[in-house]
């Protein structure tokens, strides 16, 4: 309890302008070239954030455990969402992804319990293990673009509000636990490319 009470106090990061490797913008930490967003301080009071143009990657754990952010808008330059990037951002309800996104890392949005809607853009290639697990408010209809060739284990497990899903045309394996615990799921479209369905894919 003592650790939790202090964990969200950091509200700004300031980097000396002479530092050769890192920089900050409005208290958010980036690499010097502004290609990677490294850390968004959990104590920042804002509820909305627009990622600056030029950023290509959301770093691992960049926003995790944030208790305040409700909306994040991506710049057009972003390609990768790192592992655990928005893990347990419990107030996050909306993320607007750009069309250039290629990869969503493992546990990227896990336990974002108020997350209601996400646009998965054409051009997306991979969705990591447990990427959207336990997003219990995730919108009732999910269309995964045909450019996606890999969806990780347990990626949508525990998405209890999910009602219908259309899987991408090039998918070959429905991996372990993919829709485990999706108790309201009533319709799923499986393409003719699927050759294997692993254990617990549709359990509960």
């Amino acid at each position: 309890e003592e650790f939790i009470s202090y964990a969200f106090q950091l509200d700004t990061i300031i980097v000396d302008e002479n530092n050769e490797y890192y920089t900050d913008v409005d208290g958010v930490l980036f690499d010097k070239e502004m290609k990677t967003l490294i850390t968004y301080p959990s104590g920042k009071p804002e509820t909305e954030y627009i990622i600056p143009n030029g950023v290509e990657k959301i770093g691992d754990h960049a926003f995790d455990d944030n208790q305040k952010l409700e909306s994040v808008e991506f710049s057009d330059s972003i390609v990768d969402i790192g592992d655990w990037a928005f893990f347990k951002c419990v107030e996050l309800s909306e993320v607007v992804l750009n069309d250039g996104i290629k990869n969503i890392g493992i546990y990227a949005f896990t336990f974002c319990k108020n997350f209601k809607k996400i646009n998965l853009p054409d051009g997306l290639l991979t969705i990591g293990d447990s990427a959207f697990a336990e997003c219990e408010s995730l919108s009732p209809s999910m269309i995964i673009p045909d450019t996606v060739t890999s969806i990780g284990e347990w990626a949508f497990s525990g998405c209890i509000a999910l009602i219908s899903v259309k899987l991408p045309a090039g998918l070959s394996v429905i991996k372990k636990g993919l829709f485990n615990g999706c108790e309201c799921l009533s319709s799923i479209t499986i393409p003719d490319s699927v050759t294997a369905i692993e254990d617990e894919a549709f359990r509960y």
Side-chain angles (χ1 to χ4, degrees):
E1 291 181 0
E2 182 175 339
F3 170 78
I4 292 173
S5 67
Y6 288 101
F8 308 112
Q9 295 302 307
L10 182 66
D11 62 11
T12 189
I13 298 172
I14 300 173
V15 181
D16 190 298
E17 63 182 15
N18 295 316
N19 190 293
E20 298 180 4
Y21 305 101
Y22 301 99
T23 190
D24 72 276
V25 176
D26 297 327
V28 180
L29 181 64
F30 298 86
D31 69 322
K32 192 68 173 182
E33 295 182 344
M34 290 286 295
K35 299 294 185 185
T36 301
L37 191 160
I38 298 171
T39 300
Y40 182 97
S42 293
K44 282 181 71 66
E46 291 81 5
T47 59
E48 299 178 355
Y49 182 62
I50 300 174
I51 298 171
N53 288 326
V55 174
E56 296 178 357
K57 180 175 181 177
I58 308 302
D60 296 349
H61 298 274
F63 291 85
D64 70 356
D65 269 321
N66 186 286
Q67 307 291 300
K68 299 178 179 67
L69 276 175
E70 298 174 6
S71 175
V72 176
E73 183 175 337
F74 281 45
S75 60
D76 291 339
S77 53
I78 295 176
V79 176
D80 290 303
I81 300 175
D83 299 341
W84 306 80
F86 294 91
F87 180 83
K88 214 172 183 180
C89 289
V90 294
E91 297 300 325
L92 192 65
S93 61
E94 182 180 12
V95 169
V96 181
L97 299 182
N98 58 298
D99 289 339
I101 290 284
K102 300 298 181 187
N103 305 297
I104 298 175
I106 64 171
Y107 296 94
F109 295 95
T110 305
F111 289 116
C112 293
K113 65 179 183 179
N114 285 315
F115 200 18
K116 295 178 175 62
K117 186 176 182 180
I118 188 162
N119 60 309
L120 296 178
D122 291 337
L124 183 66
L125 300 176
T126 62
I127 298 172
D129 292 352
S130 298
F132 297 98
E134 305 302 327
C135 290
E136 57 188 41
S137 299
L138 194 62
S139 62
S141 179
M142 175 72 65
I143 298 175
I144 302 173
D146 288 340
T147 51
V148 173
T149 57
S150 176
I151 305 174
E153 296 179 356
W154 312 96
F156 294 96
S157 61
C159 292
I160 59 175
L162 201 58
I163 294 175
S164 67
V165 175
K166 182 180 182 296
L167 293 174
L171 192 69
S172 60
V173 179
I174 297 177
K175 292 189 176 179
K176 183 177 181 178
L178 183 56
F179 297 103
N180 181 75
C182 295
E183 58 189 45
C184 289
L185 188 63
S186 61
S187 174
I188 184 165
T189 303
I190 298 175
D192 59 8
S193 57
V194 169
T195 59
I197 299 175
E198 296 183 349
D199 294 345
E200 301 179 85
F202 305 107
R203 191 179 184 191
Y204 303 124

